Structure formats: structure tokens, C-alpha cells
Amino acid sequence: MEEDIPSGSLSPLHGFGFEVRAVRLGRKLTQKHLARGSGYSEAYVSRVEKGQLVPSERFARGCDVVFGTHGVFERLRRRLEESDHPLWFVPYVQVEEKAERILNFSPSLVTGLLQTEDYARAIFRAAHPRAAEDVIEGKVAARLRRREVFKREDPPALWVILHEAALRTAIGGPAVMAAQLEQLLRAMEQPHVDIQVLPFASGAPDGQMRPFTLLGMPDAATLLYSDGPRGGRVYDAAAMVSPAAEIYDRLRAHASSPDDSAAFVKSLLKEYRS
């Protein structure tokens, strides 16, 4: 039996799935019918309808063909790409909101959950030099909204390993960096936050130095989010998660202690202020 259609505020990804399911049921079609007509599996259709999977362009076109909606779903998918978060990042945001534990390694930039508004703005402006001001501000606001997860009654435990390079790269200039380091020092005082600095002297403990995040979920599963040249992806397969967990343990062992890391951030803050 199919579940009731959810109501209330939906994320863009869940909204797309909601519309697919609503039209499919309105046409009195099963997931099997849509799967056959679009060229995808029933499992794929189910995950799209639940907002668990970013729909492909081909799937969106297939929906329009099956439903006779003349490009409606292609346009809906295009709007997903134009939202404040990149399309490939939406699945991560959805699991981050539910995570009980977040373990992050950031080799080149301060992780998004700890960024100040001006630091985030400088990053987005550099990444999108021709974008309109309202587009940049939308992306900044979306990044800052991710902090809402720490306002939960049971905020997630956050453990961040920042490479020294992330702290010495002067994003936005000395004043912006000084404010960013002050933000890190405030975060270090929070009971649910641990931050370590991986100094240059530690070399490359994992051999690759790529950013990634491990998320402990309420059902005891651990997920991996890993960045790539064309965006990031969330993985749940043990073959991907287990090696990443081992790498994180190695990085943690080579990083400075939280107290020594705080002392280093304070010393670097003096440099940016001078």
C-alpha cells in the first residue's frame, strides 16, 4: 500500500518527489508503470518520490512523456539546479539535519557549518564572479541556515579537523579571517564541538588530503559525504564508509590536541590583527 502524501513545508528535492507522486497517483499509475515508461527501476522512482535521490534530466523527461505534462518536470528539475544549494549538495543537507554526530575534515577551507557570513560571502563571490548580488546572498543565507541544526534540543556532536592551510589561506582579507578565527574560538568553547588543527608539519597522513564528512545517523548507520571535481555525493556502502572512518582516526591522531589547536588559532589571530 502506498503511503499518504506528506504535507507541510518541503525542501526543493522533496518537493520534486511530491509532485511526481501526486501526478502519478492522479493518473492512477503505479511506480512500476512510471519506471517502465521512464527507463528506470521501481527503486529509483521510489527514492525520487521520497526525496532521497536527485532526479536525472532523463528521468524528468521520462516523467513528462509518461504523464503528458509537456516539459513541466524538466522545468522543475531545472529549478532545483537554480536553488541556493547546488543540486548535488541537497542530499547532504538533508542527512546533516538529522545527524547525531558529524566528523569533518577540511584541508583547504573552514567547514561550512563554522563559517562566518563574510567568509562564506567571499567564497561564493570568488566561485561565482558573474552572479547577481541576490544570488550570492541567497547562497550565503542557505549556508548560515545550516547552523540551525545546533539549535535542536539534542544538537549533533561536531568534530572538525582543519588543516593549517585552511587557516592561513586569507579568504576575504585579514579582517574577514580575523573574524573567522574568532568564530572558531567561540565554537571551541561549546560542549558539543571539538576542533583540531592538522599542522603542516604532520605531512599528509591520509596520502590524499581530500575533504570529507562522516555522519552518524539516529538509526546507528554511518554515512560518508565526499567531495569530487563535479560536486559531492553521499555514500552508505560499508566499502566506502569504513576506509574513510579509518582515515579520520589517522588524521585525528596526527592533529594537534584541541587545547593546542586553540592556542594555535589564538596565535594566528594575532597575526591577522597585526
Side-chain angles (χ1 to χ4, degrees), residues 2-129:
E2 305 210 46
E3 302 171 355
D4 292 337
I5 295 176
S7 61
S9 178
L10 298 174
S11 70
L13 194 58
H14 279 98
F16 183 95
F18 175 92
E19 296 300 338
V20 170
R21 187 166 184 269
V23 175
R24 177 177 61 77
L25 294 178
R27 300 287 197 277
K28 301 189 184 322
L29 299 175
T30 64
Q31 289 182 342
K32 185 175 183 178
H33 285 129
L34 180 55
R36 187 184 303 119
S38 62
Y40 286 84
S41 66
E42 288 182 64
Y44 185 99
V45 172
S46 176
R47 293 186 66 194
V48 168
E49 290 188 350
K50 292 176 181 177
Q52 297 174 345
L53 185 69
V54 176
S56 69
E57 292 181 17
R58 187 165 69 91
F59 178 76
R61 287 195 299 271
C63 288
D64 283 324
V65 171
V66 173
F67 299 148
T69 42
H70 307 289
V72 167
F73 286 96
E74 279 195 89
R75 290 191 292 275
L76 283 176
R77 190 191 181 281
R78 200 171 301 124
R79 287 176 195 163
L80 282 178
E81 294 180 331
E82 295 168 353
S83 62
D84 293 329
H85 287 303
L87 186 55
W88 48 263
F89 194 62
V90 173
Y92 172 80
V93 174
Q94 292 177 344
V95 295
E96 182 183 71
E97 292 172 349
K98 303 173 184 176
E100 295 182 341
R101 187 178 71 259
I102 303 171
L103 309 178
N104 170 266
F105 173 54
S106 293
S108 57
L109 296 171
V110 173
T111 187
L113 280 173
L114 297 176
Q115 290 177 7
T116 65
E117 181 176 343
D118 287 338
Y119 185 97
R121 183 177 291 109
I123 289 175
F124 286 126
R125 176 50 68 194
H128 307 279

Side-chain angles (χ1 to χ4, degrees), residues 135-193:
V135 173
I136 298 298
E137 292 306 310
K139 292 181 179 299
V140 172
R143 177 151 296 180
L144 297 182
R145 279 197 301 271
R146 289 170 55 199
R147 296 182 190 171
E148 296 295 316
V149 70
F150 296 118
K151 295 181 180 179
R152 291 180 351 202
E153 291 185 5
D154 56 339
L158 175 66
W159 197 298
V160 176
I161 301 174
L162 289 170
H163 196 280
E164 183 177 343
L167 304 179
R168 291 195 178 276
T169 302
I171 302 295
V176 171
M177 285 304 300
Q180 178 61 72
L181 295 190
E182 290 171 349
Q183 163 73 1
L184 292 177
L185 290 171
R186 288 192 294 271
M188 288 174 167
E189 297 175 354
Q190 300 302 311
H192 58 277
V193 178

